[in-house]
Amino acid sequence: MLNKDDLNISAKFCEGVKDKVINGIRLTAEDGIALYKSSDLISIGILADYARKKKCGNKAYYIYNQHINYTNICINQCLFCAYSRKKNQSEAFTYSIEDIKKKIYERIDEPIMELHIVGGLNLELNFDYYLDLLKTVKQIRYNATIKAFTAVEIDHLAQVSGLSIQKVIKKLKQAGLGMMPGGGAEILSISIRKKLFPRKISGKRWLQIIKAVHKEGIKTNATMLYGHVETIEERINHLIQLRNMQDETNGFLAFIPLAFHSKNTKLSHLPATTAIDDLKTIAIARLMLDNFNHIKAYWVMIGEKLAQTALFFGADDLDGTIIEEKITHFAGAKTAKGLTEEYMRNLITKAGLTPVCRDSFYNAL
Ligand code: V47
Ligand code: SF4
C-alpha cells in the first residue's frame, strides 16, 4: 500500500483535494471541475492510483466474456450511434433464437463466464422473445452470468408488454437475467439528451429504472458517454448523480467511461477524444465515485495500450476478451474485436499488477 507521504504532489495542487482524498473526505462538484481544469495529469493520476489501491490493492480484473447484439433495428436513432438501423435498411439484422443458439455453440469450448447481451429497440420483437432468449442462453451456458439489457431496453419492454417495470424485471430474472450492463445513461443532462437523443428515455427515467432494478436484487453497471458536446460541468454532474444513486442502493458494480467515436454517426464532424482526456476522465471518476469499487478501462474504446496505462490512473478492470464487438466498431473503432486471455493477463502483469480472472460479481475464479 502506498504511504500517504509518498504522494509527491505540490501542496498547491487543486487546493485541498489531496488532503480530502487521503482522509477519505468526499470530493465536491467544484473539486471535480478543478481536477478537470488542472493540466497536472500526473498528480491527478497519483491520487487516483492511491484511491484505487485503497480499494483493490494489487489486483486488476478481466473477464472471459462474449458479446451478443441481437438486433440493430432501433426506433431511437440517437445521433451518436453508428450501430442502429431502420427496419428497411439493407444492413438491418435481427437474430432468431436459433441464430443466438448458433452464436453460443460456436464458442462452446471456451471458458466463457459472462454473456453481454444488448440490442436496439425493435418493435417486431415481443416480450416472449426476450424471455426465450434468456432461457435458451441459460440452458446452454448454465454456469455463466447473463448480463443483459440496459435500462432503455427495460423501459421499452414495459411498454411492449404492458407490464410494470417491477414485473418486467421479475420475469427477466426468473428467465435467467443475472445482472445488467451500464449502457443508456449516456450523459445525464436534460439539454444534451434533447439535442442528441430526444427519443431515448430521460436521465431521470434511467435513474428510476436502475433504482427499481437494484431494488429487485439485480446489480448493474453505470456508464458515461463523453467526448461529444457535453461540458466538464455536465460530466461532473453525471458522476454526482451516479454517486447519489449508489449511496441509496449500493447496486452498481462498476463505472465505465465510454469515449465517443464519431465515424459513421450524425456527429462525424467531432474529433476523437484525446489520451489526456481519456486518462483524466478515468482518474476523476475514481476520485469522485468514492462509493464504487470498480472503474473499468474499456479497451475497445480507448485501445489496449491506453487501457493498460489507465491501470495507473484509477482503473482496476480491463473488461473482457469479447471477440465480436459491434457498437464501437460500427463507429470506427480501430481496436481488435477481441483479445485472448493471455494477452489481457500480459497487459496487467506488465503494469506490475496481479491479473485476476473474475466472474460478473468480481469473485476471483
Ligand atoms: O449505451 C453507442 C455507447 C453503449 C457509441 O456495463 C457509443 O460492463 C462510443 O454500455 N461511441 C453500449 N460509445 C456499451 C455499454 C457497455 C460497454 C462495455 C461494458 C459495459 C458494462 C457496458 O455504448 C451505449 C452508448 O453509450 N455508444 N454509440 C459511439 N459511437
Ligand atoms: Fe438505439 Fe442504443 Fe443506438 Fe440509441 S444507442 S440508436 S437506443 S441502439
Side-chain angles (χ1 to χ4, degrees):
M1 172 70 71
L2 193 68
N3 188 304
K4 62 184 181 186
D5 299 326
D6 294 340
L7 295 181
N8 194 11
I9 295 172
S10 125
K12 284 201 189 123
F13 172 74
C14 291
E15 212 59 59
V17 169
K18 174 184 168 185
D19 291 341
K20 281 191 182 172
V21 173
I22 287 169
N23 296 312
I25 297 169
R26 181 162 274 193
L27 300 188
T28 61
E30 291 70 34
D31 293 329
I33 291 164
L35 286 167
Y36 260 120
K37 289 192 171 156
S38 162
S39 53
D40 189 352
L41 179 68
I42 297 301
S43 293
I44 298 171
I46 291 172
L47 279 185
D49 196 48
Y50 175 79
R52 176 195 63 76
K53 271 202 185 110
K54 266 204 328 205
K55 286 237 153 90
C56 312
N58 209 41
K59 294 182 194 140
Y61 297 89
Y62 68 94
I63 189 163
Y64 209 118
N65 65 350
Q66 177 175 11
H67 278 205
I68 298 177
N69 300 120
Y70 56 91
T71 183
N72 65 350
I73 297 176
C74 187
I75 51 174
N76 269 0
Q77 300 293 305
C78 305
L79 296 192
F80 63 78
C81 180
Y83 166 77
S84 71
R85 294 290 180 273
K86 292 189 178 143
K87 75 173 185 186
N88 298 323
Q89 283 182 287
S90 60
E91 297 142 311
F93 74 85
T94 300
Y95 289 161
S96 65
I97 300 295
E98 278 310 307
D99 294 331
I100 286 167
K101 264 191 194 168
K102 218 170 117 201
K103 287 267 165 210
I104 294 178
Y105 276 118
E106 273 168 14
R107 299 185 56 197
I108 200 67
D109 295 330
E110 296 177 50
I112 287 165
M113 288 308 294
E114 179 181 278
L115 290 125
H116 180 151
I117 305 175
V118 288
L121 308 185
N122 179 348
L123 292 172
E124 280 170 13
L125 299 175
N126 59 23
F127 190 36
D128 282 341
Y129 169 90
Y130 292 80
L131 298 175
D132 285 351
L133 186 160
L134 290 171
K135 285 181 198 155
T136 305
V137 173
K138 198 67 194 170
Q139 224 167 28
I140 308 172
R141 278 280 186 201
Y142 43 88
N143 281 335
T145 300
I146 306 179
K147 177 174 90 180
F149 315 135
T150 66
V152 177
E153 285 154 292
I154 301 293
D155 179 77
H156 175 72
L157 287 177
Q159 289 187 42
V160 165
S161 65
L163 298 172
S164 68
I165 294 290
Q166 282 75 10
K167 196 92 198 177
V168 165
I169 302 162
K170 279 197 166 86
K171 282 185 172 267
L172 294 173
K173 195 174 166 184
Q174 274 165 8
L177 181 72
M179 73 165 286
M180 275 170 50
E186 321 310 359
I187 191 94
L188 297 168
S189 142
I190 295 171
S191 62
I192 298 224
R193 292 183 98 85
K194 219 189 238 171
K195 231 186 281 171
L196 298 191
F197 38 102
R199 294 201 194 117
K200 185 167 264 176
I201 56 170
S202 67
K204 194 170 158 203
R205 182 76 172 150
W206 188 89
L207 287 165
Q208 254 173 15
I209 291 173
I210 289 294
K211 189 170 170 181
V213 169
H214 291 172
K215 212 167 151 207
E216 290 301 325
I218 299 265
K219 298 279 184 192
T220 74
N221 289 335
T223 57
M224 174 174 77
L225 181 69
Y226 69 97
H228 39 91
V229 298
E230 84 291 355
T231 62
I232 296 308
E233 286 75 9
E234 281 165 328
R235 290 187 196 181
I236 294 295
N237 187 262
H238 181 101
L239 296 177
I240 288 179
Q241 292 189 63
L242 295 180
R243 189 170 78 182
N244 291 343
M245 177 59 65
Q246 180 75 327
D247 277 343
E248 257 187 77
T249 66
N250 200 28
F252 290 121
L253 288 174
F255 173 72
I256 308 121
L258 301 171
F260 177 53
H261 284 59
S262 69
K263 202 170 163 195
N264 303 322
T265 74
K266 301 239 160 55
L267 304 171
S268 59
H269 56 286
L270 293 176
T273 61
T274 64
I276 303 283
D277 197 17
D278 293 336
L279 291 176
K280 258 194 191 175
T281 300
I282 285 173
I284 293 168
R286 169 61 81 189
L287 293 169
M288 293 298 296
L289 297 177
D290 55 3
N291 52 4
F292 277 62
N293 285 336
H294 304 287
I295 306 288
K296 269 192 207 180
Y298 187 39
W299 63 264
V300 170
M301 300 250 169
I302 59 171
E304 301 98 272
K305 291 187 180 181
L306 196 62
Q308 183 191 36
T309 312
L311 296 174
F312 289 97
F313 284 80
D316 67 294
D317 186 352
L318 294 182
D319 196 70
T321 46
I322 302 177
I323 306 299
E324 197 191 15
E325 199 282 336
K326 286 201 177 89
I327 296 172
T328 329
H329 284 89
F330 272 108
K334 297 278 185 295
T335 44
K337 292 201 171 173
L339 296 179
T340 63
E341 186 175 12
E342 201 186 352
Y343 191 98
M344 296 199 88
R345 292 186 76 85
N346 189 43
L347 287 177
I348 295 170
T349 309
K350 293 278 161 54
L353 298 175
T354 308
V356 178
C357 183
R358 64 169 176 87
D359 68 9
S360 299
F361 305 99
Y362 289 84
N363 299 304
L365 296 173

